[in-house]
Amino acid sequence: MIRLRNKFALALLCVFTQLVLSAQVNDVIVKFPEKKISLSDLIDQVEKEKNIQFYFKKEWIDSVTILIEQSEGKLVDILTKQMPKYGLHFYIKEPNRIYLSKEPVNQTLEPTAIYYTEQNYEQDSVFDEDKENVISSLLNEVVIGKKNNGLGNKANIVGVVKDAETGEPLLGVMVYIEELKTGTVTDINGNYMLNLKKGEYLISFRSVGKEIVQKKVKLLSSGKLNINLTKSLTALDEIVVKEERFSNLRSMQTGFEQISMKNIKELPPVAGERDILKASLLLPGVQTIGESAAGYNIRGGAADENLFLINNVPVYNTSHMFGFFSTFNPNVIRNFNLFKSNIPVEYGGRISSVFEIQTKNGNNKKFSLKGGISPITAQFSAEGPIVKDKSSYILGVRSTYSNWILKRIENPEIRNSDVYFHDIIANVSHSINDNNNIGVFAYFSKDNFNLPTGYDYNYGNIGASVNWQHFFGKKLYSKLALIYSNYNLSVINREHPLNAYKVKHTIDHYELNHRFNYNLNQSHEVKFGYSSILYKIEPGKYDPENANSSFESLHLENESALESAVYLGDKYDISTRFGVEGGVRYSFYNYLGPKTIFNYVDNERPSPSTLIDTSYYGNFKPVKSYSALDIRFSLRFLVNSSSSVKFSYNRITQYLFLLTNTIAISPSDKWKLSDNYSPPTMGQQYNLGFYKDFMNSGIEASAEIYYKTSTNLKDFKNGSEPEMNQHLERDLITGIGRTYGIELMLKKNYGKLSGWINYSYSKSEVQFKGSSLEETINNGSFFPSNIDKPHNINLTTNLKTDRRLSFSANFTYSTGRPGTFMESKTFIGNIPILNYSDRNARRLPDYWRVDVAVNLEGNLIRKKPVHAYWTFSIYNLTGRKNAYSVYFTNENGKVTGHKISIFAQPVFTLSYNFKLGNYASN
Amino acid sequence: MKLKIIIFCALAVLITACVYDFEPDNSDFVNRLVVYSLITNELKPIEVTLSRTVEINSNQTVKETNAQVSVIDDNGKVIQLVETSEGEYSSIDAFQAKVGEQYKLLITTSDGNEYESDFQSLTQPEEIAEVSYEFKEKPTADSEDPLWGCQFYVDASTSANNQTYFRYEMEETWQIFMPLSANAYWNPTEQVFEPVSFSPICWRYNYVNQFFVANTNEFGSGEILKMPLNYVTDETSKLLVKYCLNVKQYAMTESTYIYWKSLANNLGDNSLFAQHPYQVIGNIKSLSNPDEIVLGIFEVSGVSNKRVFVSGFVGANQDMNYCEYWEPTETDIEYGYYAFKQPGRPAFAVARECVDCEAAGATPVRPDFWE
């Protein structure tokens, strides 16, 4: 809740008790002996003489001096006239309190208060003008519906919770019925629904950084209650918002993480770039192979087992510059959710996790602009209404000027390289009417490297989605999405000029999905839907790079497949303590022609000697089908109001994988569909979690234990080459994986000092045990996977000394990743023969790093055109030379071990960001 | 793939160096038997080398001695090998592999463990079409200072239209001129100048410690086209006069090719974007202990070769430019010295390795193939 600090309150109580209570604050008359008085003196005087308490923040009034026109006047008149000049608002709460505020005050906050601003405050009703159902809307009491209207003894309340300033719907607002000790949370469109017995309730609406709104509701029959939430107006000391607690403790989710832009802003940036995906590496269970490697590994899973969605569009390559940055411009991101265990039933197709990234909706009230410069990129975003209150747009553009930096580096190979990337995010949302919202979203990212020895890499994502949300009455709504996503890669290899070639790889993803949510009542929700994805993959189109090249074209045969699914999920709160959620998802997959399939002798390893013949399948002819039943199940038991236990199980099937035989995702890796010889991967996960809140301290703790297995993992036979390979079935081998671990998290979300600390133990092992030696790795026993880094500690803290200045720091530690090291050598003739250990039998040194940052906001003057902030950060403060990779070189038999360190020194960066408006502007 | 490391380093904006030495812990070192034998269509004694692996920073070589080694063919004919020097085993008679026959290597080590290879058959040798070269710069990590030298290439075609696997080995021979000359030796015991004569022109030989693998599939055309081989830099004096590269092309089975390619992979950089390095197991296995890892290979390949001569290179390093004449010192006179003597003039002393190519590791005998 809100704690107000009154610097004089105590003094008032002790000393000035002799003062007579004035009848009404409104009638207070103040006398002025002089023409000038400082605001703080005025307040002192009034507080002493009139027994009125002022509530404000000292810094607001420090330098404010008021010129007096008359020697005496009504306090209210003086304040009304003077306050706006200094960017202050005020309101009075009878009998004797006056609140000052930097923000316009929404009267819904304090229903009994009387508001004053420079204008006459508009009585804009917080209730929908649905005259049918809303009879009266007293400030503090709402009557919904009509007496004797509607059958039965239950009724629905539906509504939208929006941001009062921007009109943007608010996600995750907790709608809590105090009497019933239960509630719901608004969805991504700000919608909520309550199904209650007719009667009287106190309903509160709570959200991060927003004032709490409480309504006394008299529910007669079904109706609407729309709410606008304003910014917390007196963020004087601390705000403890219970929304997060709600989701963690009471939700059905296990293995769930949410990062808001507030969190991102509070973390030290990498090379001046704030990055939502990099920030996720500080969460338990999220790892990467090496510093700045592309690809994320969730709970020991492979990097291709994650589904990255931005406004429903899947993104097939999420990294800029080989993994230094993610392709999502943080300025237009609203929040992101990471499901690492119990993946919602509407999602499928990746066995480890779903990263669900949601962009902001544009401000539908006024235009706003933001921008920033860091040593690597410049970016800006613009948003504003198209039709006021109805439709809006947001556009974010980010581009490097890193070539500028490269040209300043002494090493000529670096100086002669070109590295360039940009990304664009655009979103238009339109509210057609109360029952229909439509959004159109587009996404582009592009990377380009030209290396002086003749490699050019170009890759990019293109994505678009049309999202239509429709309400069928009060209980049922649907979301229809049409999605297109494309990933394209082209590499030019001029290393051998006479044999120079270019290769093109693309994946096209066309998707239709239709999701329905049906809220039977407060404690029972059903969801169902269907989806269909058409994949088209160009595995590799190799052509000579120029007319002089002797390279002969090689066009690997295209692949296509249709993956469809239907799902049904049900969430039911059996009692206030017990909740259960289950779902089934049936997916069916068809690998489609045109395709030539090589047939091999049954039960024999595909090889040139076991080849029998080939079969050709025509356009859209099914070549191979798979189907699977995915399962989701979770159970929640609320031990008491501050702790809960949850269990979940899920099973997911994945039909798409990344062909890689390198340790980290490399820019030339290509996607592949399941076919006759590479069956889909299936993952299963069991999760047990314990959640505890420490009341009123803002601290929450959780512990989760998981065990995960996966089948049909793909790898390459040793020494085989994924490039230009027309017979992948001869080189791919399959294995199984098992990962298990425990994740402990302690988190303090709000307050001057916020942050989290987590420890995770995570073991990740794989086994490749084929029928022959070449299909077997490490003798067919389980061995550590590339991401097996058992011990992880992440600590992140943010200290806000005041509204302008904050310090943040983080510390991260993990066990070194496994590696295959040289263990001995010999000579054949004069040629050195280097003998390596078993796969992943050794380990790199442990990894740890400390980062710090200082964030300085511009001044807090309310009326100013532009607000700016500076961030100074030091990445890898101690300059530890963490090993990114270890390799060995030999010169005539003299073998030397080397390690590569990225950021082997502290990296200092300064970045500048601005936005139109003041500190608090959105 | 090194370039990617460079880019990584570049992007870590302020960093000048990002590769550091690393000493791995190797406390659980095991020495393993290494077998190597190559039989070709050339008529010569079969040679088998047996050794043991050593720790990576060791300078030792450990030989496997006193083993019983034999080769049998698929008709059951056994050729017994004898140990000619430590760890080197050789057949008494010359031998030539024939297309259509299969061969197998059998080993019993002195501790009684038995090892054998798979049966291997000879792959038809293929002709080298051309060995060519180009004088060109080669970029280095510091591209302000590229190397200058001669890059060799090989072209080969295959008679059959199937995929063929090749490995290339190289031998180099180059001509040198001795920088100084001597015509006498001061014999300190006899106290006289004895006349001597050294050839001013000599040849040096070197086996290139590098091998290259290629398969026709990589070129998509059933041919090997301008496949880069070794690069001779101007930092050596090899190209100063005349240089000859003998390229040996071994045509081999796919599995032998994979073996060599794997070794080449492991020799290369194994950064994050490179493939996993891995233990390369050839076709030798232990019969006594199936879990024992045996390294090396028994290879039966078809060999062909081609030479190319290079002259006219500008910029090769003059080695031995430390050589000079000096006035004999008392020590020289006491212990003897090589001298350049002209009538009526005092003798000058000269270092032997500046006049005698045999002392400098070269030979005055003109090779048969020299043009």
Side-chain angles (χ1 to χ4, degrees), chain A residues 384-529:
Chain A
I386 299 172
V387 178
K388 200 169 181 231
D389 293 331
K390 277 274 180 196
S391 54
S392 65
Y393 67 90
I394 186 162
L395 173 72
V397 179
R398 180 168 66 154
S399 173
T400 41
Y401 49 95
S402 55
N403 270 341
W404 179 83
I405 289 163
L406 294 186
K407 300 299 169 217
R408 265 147 198 83
I409 290 186
E410 277 189 19
N411 185 322
E413 280 197 44
I414 296 169
R415 207 167 52 212
N416 297 331
S417 302
D418 282 325
V419 176
Y420 174 75
F421 71 76
H422 70 257
D423 52 57
I424 302 168
I425 292 176
N427 191 28
V428 172
S429 46
H430 178 65
S431 159
I432 301 166
N433 53 39
D434 281 351
N435 288 329
N436 290 287
N437 295 312
I438 192 156
V440 179
F441 167 73
Y443 174 73
F444 302 89
S445 82
K446 188 92 193 140
D447 269 75
N448 186 339
F449 315 95
N450 297 315
L451 309 186
T453 49
Y455 280 96
D456 290 0
Y457 287 93
N458 272 290
Y459 65 81
N461 295 291
I462 301 169
S465 63
V466 178
N467 301 292
W468 175 45
Q469 187 184 34
H470 177 69
F471 292 87
F472 304 88
K474 306 273 189 299
K475 292 187 168 185
L476 177 68
Y477 70 88
S478 77
K479 287 174 179 175
L480 177 70
L482 285 170
I483 298 155
Y484 171 69
S485 177
N486 164 287
Y487 170 63
N488 53 80
L489 164 75
S490 92
V491 182
I492 294 172
N493 180 341
R494 296 194 198 87
E495 208 172 24
H496 305 163
L498 284 174
N499 199 36
Y501 67 90
K502 58 188 176 194
V503 53
K504 226 181 118 203
H505 165 67
T506 54
I507 173 163
D508 285 302
H509 172 120
Y510 305 88
E511 180 177 347
L512 164 78
N513 73 51
H514 204 173
R515 297 172 182 156
F516 295 85
N517 272 55
Y518 183 60
N519 294 293
L520 277 83
N521 58 46
Q522 187 49 40
S523 54
H524 197 177
E525 185 186 335
V526 176
K527 51 188 178 181
F528 53 93

Side-chain angles (χ1 to χ4, degrees), chain A residues 775-838:
Chain A
E775 294 165 77
T776 300
I777 301 176
N778 289 2
N779 261 328
S781 45
F782 271 101
F783 64 93
S785 78
N786 296 337
I787 194 62
D788 182 61
K789 304 199 277 189
H791 299 282
N792 297 271
I793 298 168
N794 294 302
L795 168 69
T796 162
T797 56
N798 181 275
L799 176 69
K800 245 182 144 113
T801 57
D802 60 44
R803 290 226 284 183
R804 292 185 58 190
L805 190 61
S806 67
F807 300 89
S808 54
N810 56 40
F811 167 78
T812 173
Y813 164 86
S814 73
T815 316
R817 78 171 160 82
T820 310
F821 288 4
M822 195 187 296
E823 61 171 31
S824 61
K825 69 174 179 190
T826 185
F827 288 88
I828 286 181
N830 282 323
I831 295 167
I833 304 298
L834 312 178
N835 179 41
Y836 279 85
S837 66
D838 278 349

Side-chain angles (χ1 to χ4, degrees), chain A residues 133 145-156 198 220-222:
Chain A
N133 292 326
K146 288 174 177 168
K147 252 186 186 156
N148 309 323
N149 197 356
L151 298 167
N153 60 352
K154 280 197 155 189
N156 287 330
K198 291 171 184 174
L220 301 174
S221 69
S222 293

